[in-house]
Amino acid sequence: MGNFVANEGLSIFVILVWLGINAFLFVHFYMAFLVERWYYTRVLLGQALPWARAPAACLNFNCMLILLPVCRNLLSFLRGTIQCCSRTAARQLDRNLTFHKLVAYMIAFHTAVHIIAHLFNFEFFMDAQLNRNTSLLTFVLSEIGNGDNASFLNPIRTNETNPTIVMFTTVAGLTGVAITLALILIITSSMEVIRRSYFEVFWYTHHLFVIFFIGLVFHGYARIVRGQTVASLDTNKPQNCSDKFEDWGKNGSDCAVPEFAGNPPGTWKWVLGPMILYVCERIVRIYRSHQKVVITKVVMHPSKTLELQMKRKGFSMEVGQYVFIQCPSVSRLEWHPFTLTSAPEEDYFSAHIRIVGDWTQALYEACGGDKNEPQEAWKLPKVAIDGPFGTASEDVFRYEVVMLVGAGIGVTPFASILKSVWYKRIQNNQDVFTKKIYFYWLCPETQAFEWFADLLQSLEGQMTEKDMVDFLSYNIYLTRWKEHEAAHFRVHHEAENDPITGLKQKTFYGKPNWDNEFTNIVSHHPRSKVGVFLCGPPQLAKSLEKQCLSHSAADVKFIFNKENF
């Protein structure tokens, strides 16, 4: 239980506070439209009025939040600021995209409720105009303002129209349609299958957020939803005058014709601050993108993985961080995130890029990957870099015992960590707080080992030479191979080096038994706090998080961290 609180307590608290604010806003604004000022509006619209206005308030709140988790420079600044005070609080910032998605789902939910309620509202407005009977209060209310059109209640001013026409001829209708279409495209293109297979579609449609926010700010400009003015309540109290509507404004009547007005637009008050922050964020990104980046070396690895080694004046990084890369000759609009695989101690920074899509393929070809001869330096494409940005892996050297788990290309952040270990512990003999690292690499096929094997071999040789073999324990798994499928390698089992990786540590086949691995760590490291770092799929994350909870005891705590960008 204690480990669960350590891992998830603050996250759950933040989510509960966020849900609580949503619930409070919904109830508060629902009740706010049940007061006397909105009595005549409810005569026309019934309960659809508060059901439209309550989710609108929640939309304002969530639209205020939606941009903040994607202000990467702001988050990096906050992470560095609070990390010295609270590692747990800093770790919550690594879940920024998870919170961004939750807020997006909440926006979608309240948008759906808001739209459905307003569809009923417009039908009620239309019905009030069609039922032209002076003995009906709804018709009398609809006729108010026909002369000067200043204090009307019903925005549909004639019975010779329909709600569809009104929708496309009013500011509220047009902006509402634009907001809804933009939101639908943004959410549907964010699905995992589209984001993984058609990243460009996801990237371009996500920029419809500009239309979304412009429409949001102007949506309430026309003040279509109107209530009785405060001054009018003095001359026409609904509880006394609603039954005397036929005598409103006549001589001898104590009930004047009610006057109505809409609330001034308020959405801009909610979103202006985050929009300014995001504009500043983009200005910083534009400034960074214009800083000169030099590609010093291009390495084409056999597994169709492109390694770019680069330099930029003033560039400073920490282990496990990532950058966004743009290649203008491929696309001037697309920026793609890649983990840095170099160590902070090196005089360059590097990224390993797996060729899996149109953009990476075009970059591969621009760097000469499809040619037999090396690409001349002056022919290499220009690239722009935004970053670096922090991740959970920055905290790796804050734990005495560390588990690093990488799946496939997810091993890239740990390349930086292992290189930094080499520089700190082996080359410079620096003393670091971390005393033991357990490294697990899960790969589907043998080709995935090729680009990383040299680093592991170098580490293995140096640690043997310096008598530090106990510092790093590494286990490599071919997950799509079973023991019987690897039978032809058994003839090499007694060989000094593994036939696949060339390492002294033999390759395992199949998937790790995580229960055994965690039990082994618990037995070897009593009274320790173990940092578990994963870069891999959600299914593996759930499995490891479950193991962290089940194996934590009074004297051993597992703290789970997942790369998330």
Side-chain angles (χ1 to χ4, degrees), residues 286-322:
I286 292 171
Y287 169 74
R288 282 180 169 175
S289 68
H290 283 83
Q291 292 180 303
K292 185 178 180 180
V293 177
V294 178
I295 299 177
T296 58
K297 189 176 182 180
V298 176
V299 182
M300 307 295 179
H301 293 282
S303 52
K304 207 170 185 185
T305 298
L306 174 69
E307 178 185 355
L308 294 181
Q309 296 183 9
M310 298 162 281
K311 288 185 178 182
R312 187 182 76 184
K313 186 178 180 180
F315 188 89
S316 177
M317 62 165 287
E318 298 292 336
V319 294
Q321 291 187 325
Y322 69 98

Side-chain angles (χ1 to χ4, degrees), residues 253-271:
S253 174
D254 57 353
C255 295
V257 177
E259 296 181 354
F260 301 94
N263 289 332
T267 299
W268 66 272
K269 298 177 183 177
W270 292 83
V271 301

Side-chain angles (χ1 to χ4, degrees), residues 93-289:
L93 297 176
D94 298 323
R95 303 181 179 184
N96 60 318
L97 293 186
T98 300
F99 186 65
H100 178 73
K101 293 174 186 177
L102 289 175
V103 174
Y105 294 147
M106 187 66 78
I107 289 174
F109 170 74
H110 285 299
T111 298
V113 176
H114 184 73
I115 290 172
I116 292 171
H118 269 318
L119 289 176
F120 280 101
N121 286 338
F122 271 91
E123 287 298 327
F124 292 145
F125 280 138
M126 193 70 240
D127 289 343
Q129 281 289 4
L130 292 175
N131 295 327
R132 306 186 70 78
N133 187 337
T134 55
S135 64
L136 296 175
L137 177 57
T138 54
F139 175 70
V140 173
L141 290 171
S142 296
E143 289 295 289
I144 292 175
N146 272 355
D148 56 10
N149 208 35
S151 61
F152 68 87
L153 176 61
N154 191 336
I156 299 180
R157 309 306 301 142
T158 175
N159 63 345
E160 298 178 355
T161 185
N162 62 69
T164 304
I165 294 175
V166 174
M167 184 182 300
F168 289 98
T169 55
T170 60
V171 173
L174 287 172
T175 55
V177 170
I179 291 170
T180 303
L181 289 177
L183 187 63
I184 290 172
L185 289 172
I186 290 172
I187 291 178
T188 53
S189 66
S190 301
M191 293 188 298
E192 185 78 11
V193 62
I194 294 179
R195 197 172 74 251
R196 293 293 182 187
S197 303
Y198 306 98
F199 185 84
E200 293 83 0
V201 175
F202 160 76
W203 180 261
Y204 288 125
T205 54
H206 237 62
H207 284 77
L208 291 173
F209 82 91
V210 176
I211 295 175
F212 178 87
F213 273 93
I214 292 175
L216 192 69
V217 169
F218 288 98
H219 185 57
Y221 180 77
R223 307 186 187 188
I224 282 183
V225 178
R226 304 164 75 87
Q228 197 172 356
T229 64
V230 176
S232 176
L233 287 171
D234 294 333
T235 59
N236 186 308
K237 289 191 174 295
Q239 59 184 358
N240 300 326
C241 299
S242 60
D243 295 331
K244 306 174 184 177
F245 63 89
E246 293 178 340
D247 297 326
W248 284 351
K250 294 181 179 179
N251 291 333
S253 174
D254 57 353
C255 295
V257 177
E259 296 181 354
F260 301 94
N263 289 332
T267 299
W268 66 272
K269 298 177 183 177
W270 292 83
V271 301
L272 181 62
M275 288 173 71
I276 291 174
L277 280 174
Y278 190 76
V279 169
C280 293
E281 168 83 13
R282 296 308 292 244
I283 291 172
V284 171
R285 294 186 194 178
I286 292 171
Y287 169 74
R288 282 180 169 175
S289 68

